[in-house]
Amino acid sequence: MRLPRTRPRSLAGQLFAMQVVLIAAVVAGCAVFAYVSGSAQAEQTATRQVRAAAVAVADSPSVREAIRTPDPSAVLQPYAEQVRRDTQIAFVTIMDTERRRWTHPDASLIGETFLGHTEEALRGETFTETYTGTLGPSIRVVTPVRDGDRIIGLVSAGITVDRVSSQVREQLGALALAAGGALALGGIGTYVINARLRRHTHGMNAAELSRLHDYHQATLHAVREGLLMLDGQRRIALINDAGRELLGITPETEALGRTVDELALPAPLTGALLASEARVDELHLTTDRVVVVNTRPVVGGERRGTVVTLRDHTELQALTGELDSERGFTQALRSQAHEAANRLHTVVSLIELGRVEEAVEFATAELELAQVLTDRVVGAVEEPVLAALLLGKAAQANERGVELELAEDSLIDDGALPDSLAQRDLVTILGNLIDNAVDAASEGDGHGSAGAVPAQRTASQGAGRARVTVTALADDRELLLRVSDTGPGIGPEEADEVFRRGWSTHGAGRGLGLALVRQAAHRNGGSVELDRAPEGGARFTVRLPLGDRTATEVTA
């Protein structure tokens, strides 16, 4: 039969046992020390007491006079007993230099020889010894009685060891009571502290806490979502590697203990992190990334902090933009296919009517109009990604009644752009700028997508047509992308907000296009400028360095 595995004692239980043992050892040590020091002190007190009594008796003139009488015991015995009772010592013995007693607490022993040493006293010294006499072991002092320079007798005063021990035992009782009280108070205090510790450690032992910490650290480094924990004062209590990366905090920067305000994050993101209410799947921009923010306050009677998770949405946002472009291309191709069918029917009808020359003229004109922009783009922009993007956007713009033209000074040779310049960033920058310009130009022309202008117009009609002009120019130092439109332009009061998340020509809170343009430019060390186009609309100029990249400020 397999016995159940015994779970190790919790950390709080181990600490409680260790503290109880420690307190007991300290109290016991203090008790032993107090007993030893009390015994030594009691012995010293007894020695001083009997010494004072012996010296006082030896110096008494009445003692010297009694010694000169024929029967010293008759005078000295009552005197010695009186002194013994007054000083509460065991005996006061007065003797001659031959050690014969003149006094003793037991009168029957008067005249007998004193038990103890007297050699030092006979030499004129006062000394102390512990000796077993007629009353048992005693601490005694022996001192000479002088008559001038002559020693005429000896005085011995003593106290029994049993009496000293009884005094120590009386003190030991009080000491034991104090030690027991200290042990009880220490045990109660230790129990209260460890009960609180047990609650905070959830009854786990040291090995479990250590393993939990190791798992905690490994999880923080392994999780690819950003994790940020703020305490009640909005200071960073914890941040993992992904969180540092998404917020742009370098490994050299000490983030723990700093407030969110000190991280120099964009104001909307800082506001979301400091918000007292929960935030769910909010989209925010940092300098280089698009992040999805979720926050949850930690509440337990009072606000204790906030848990924040961050997800990288940069790649998904870029893919979403590309998907939107592809959908636009598809719609444009569908419309062009419809228009091509109409034109083909027209040509066939003209041939059936016998008007061959007019059919040839109509078909040739249509072919020339469709080929002009293609030839211009392919001839000036040899970078395939940008060329394809411009042709696709031209078809989209045409469907909305907007003419997209390439500036005469545009020129990008094949291979002029380095591999380090991400093609996805080029699509993000130029695609979003053209989309916004087409929106602005179509509104300025009084037409939206719902009221598209016919695909082809005469020269006279084209004079006032909504137009978007694109300049794409690359040299040895930088790539310049400029997009201008004939729309209403952007007022000075909106210039500071134009690159903020959610700003669009349709009002606040509609899109990320211009914010993503600024982010992509900054990611490649470039800049974005906004001014007024010669046609009256807005003009955006993006400059991306092709040599040594140094991030510049975005100006408006």
Side-chain angles (χ1 to χ4, degrees):
M1 179 178 178
R2 185 176 181 180
L3 296 176
R5 183 179 179 181
T6 303
R7 185 174 182 269
R9 187 186 295 272
S10 68
L11 177 63
Q14 294 177 7
L15 289 178
F16 177 73
M18 292 174 59
Q19 289 173 342
V20 168
V21 172
L22 179 61
I23 291 175
V26 170
V27 172
C30 291
V32 171
F33 174 78
Y35 173 75
V36 173
S37 62
S39 299
Q41 184 177 6
E43 186 175 342
Q44 291 175 0
T45 301
T47 301
R48 287 195 299 269
Q49 184 179 4
V50 296
R51 185 184 184 89
V55 172
V57 171
D59 290 342
S60 175
S62 60
V63 171
R64 288 193 293 272
E65 292 177 0
I67 291 175
R68 297 190 191 101
T69 63
D71 186 10
S73 294
V75 177
L76 293 178
Q77 175 67 11
Y79 174 74
E81 287 299 298
Q82 182 64 40
V83 172
R84 183 182 66 81
R85 288 190 297 268
D86 291 344
T87 57
Q88 296 182 351
I89 59 179
F91 64 88
V92 176
T93 299
I94 304 173
M95 69 197 85
D96 62 13
T97 55
E98 299 298 327
R99 297 169 55 188
R100 287 192 302 272
R101 299 187 185 101
W102 286 325
T103 65
H104 195 275
D106 186 356
S108 63
L109 298 179
I110 294 175
E112 294 186 5
T113 302
F114 172 76
L115 300 178
H117 300 91
T118 60
E119 292 82 1
E120 295 181 29
L122 291 175
R123 291 197 299 267
E125 300 176 5
T126 300
F127 71 94
T128 303
E129 68 173 350
T130 301
Y131 194 86
T132 302
T134 58
L135 299 178
S138 62
I139 300 172
R140 58 181 62 181
V141 173
V142 182
T143 187
V145 179
R146 298 176 181 274
D147 185 8
D149 294 333
R150 187 168 60 91
I151 297 175
I152 59 175
L154 302 174
V155 176
S156 176
I159 185 170
T160 61
V161 174
D162 288 341
R163 178 174 294 184
V164 175
S165 299
S166 65
Q167 293 176 353
V168 173
R169 284 193 295 270
E170 292 176 359
Q171 296 176 356
L172 185 61
L175 176 63
L177 183 62
L183 184 60
L185 290 176
I188 293 173
T190 301
Y191 177 80
V192 172
I193 293 173
N194 282 274
R196 181 180 179 87
L197 178 61
R198 186 179 295 107
R199 289 195 301 270
H200 285 293
T201 58
H202 301 286
M204 290 186 289
N205 56 47
E208 291 172 334
L209 287 174
S210 177
R211 185 165 57 251
L212 182 64
H213 175 268
D214 293 340
Y215 287 151
H216 171 269
Q217 292 298 318
T219 301
L220 287 181
H221 290 289
V223 171
R224 296 313 303 160
E225 277 196 350
L227 180 62
L228 180 68
M229 294 185 182
L230 308 177
D231 61 16
Q233 284 72 44
R234 304 298 199 278
R235 295 184 302 239
I236 298 177
L238 183 146
I239 185 171
N240 67 346
D241 297 342
R244 283 178 171 273
E245 182 179 355
L246 292 177
L247 295 180
I249 303 174
T250 60
E252 297 78 16
T253 303
E254 180 57 45
L256 297 182
R258 300 177 65 184
T259 61
V260 175
D261 295 334
E262 299 175 6
L263 299 180
L265 299 174
L269 178 56
T270 300
L273 297 180
L274 296 179
S276 57
E277 69 279 358
R279 300 293 181 93
V280 179
D281 290 340
E282 284 194 359
L283 209 61
H284 288 274
L285 293 177
T286 64
T287 304
D288 299 317
R289 296 181 181 274
V290 181
V291 295
V292 178
V293 178
N294 286 274
T295 67
R296 173 75 62 178
V298 179
V299 179
E302 60 181 10
R303 183 182 179 89
R304 296 183 179 178
T306 305
V307 176
V308 182
T309 61
L310 307 167
R311 294 199 309 273
D312 191 355
H313 205 261
T314 307
E315 297 295 327
L316 182 59
Q317 190 66 39
L319 291 174
T320 301
E322 293 180 9
L323 179 59
D324 290 340
S325 296
E326 294 296 333
R327 288 174 177 171
F329 295 159
T330 302
Q331 292 175 358
L333 290 174
R334 186 182 297 115
S335 298
Q336 286 186 343
H338 179 71
E339 291 295 326
N342 290 336
R343 296 181 187 116
L344 182 58
H345 291 158
T346 302
V347 172
V348 171
S349 297
L350 288 173
I351 293 175
E352 290 177 347
L353 294 174
R355 299 185 178 185
V356 177
E357 293 182 0
E358 294 180 9
V360 172
E361 182 181 354
F362 179 82
T364 303
E366 290 296 324
L367 181 61
E368 289 177 353
L369 289 174
Q371 193 64 30
V372 169
L373 180 60
T374 301
D375 292 341
R376 178 75 186 95
V377 170
V378 173
V381 181
E382 297 183 12
E383 177 64 33
V385 173
L386 291 181
L389 177 65
L390 287 171
L391 292 174
K393 291 298 182 182
Q396 286 181 286
N398 190 56
E399 284 300 311
R400 300 185 60 180
V402 178
E403 179 185 356
L404 190 148
E405 65 177 16
L406 190 65
E408 293 296 332
D409 57 347
S410 296
L411 179 62
I412 299 180
D413 294 330
D414 188 18
L417 303 183
D419 295 336
S420 57
L421 185 59
Q423 295 180 346
R424 177 170 292 174
D425 287 341
L426 293 178
V427 172
T428 297
I429 293 172
L430 191 57
N432 280 291
L433 290 180
I434 292 176
D435 287 343
N436 280 291
V438 170
D439 286 342
S442 62
E443 291 179 356
D445 192 40
H447 299 280
S449 57
V453 182
Q456 301 297 331
R457 293 189 175 189
T458 63
S460 61
Q461 289 173 316
R465 187 180 182 185
R467 185 172 64 258
V468 172
T469 303
V470 178
T471 302
L473 179 62
D475 56 23
D476 295 337
R477 296 182 302 104
E478 68 177 12
L479 168 65
L480 182 143
L481 299 174
R482 178 178 290 133
V483 179
S484 61
D485 60 70
T486 58
I490 298 175
E493 68 280 359
E494 294 179 326
D496 294 335
E497 297 292 324
V498 67
F499 295 104
R500 181 175 56 83
R501 179 187 71 87
W503 190 95
S504 79
T505 56
H506 297 285
R510 288 292 302 275
L512 286 169
L514 293 176
L516 291 176
V517 169
R518 180 180 67 172
Q519 189 182 79
H522 184 277
R523 188 161 50 241
N524 290 276
S527 65
V528 183
E529 300 175 358
L530 167 63
D531 58 4
R532 180 169 289 277
E535 299 87 351
R539 180 172 64 180
F540 289 88
T541 302
V542 178
R543 300 179 186 274
L544 301 178
L546 299 182
D548 183 19
R549 296 183 182 179
T550 302
T552 58
E553 293 293 331
V554 178
T555 59

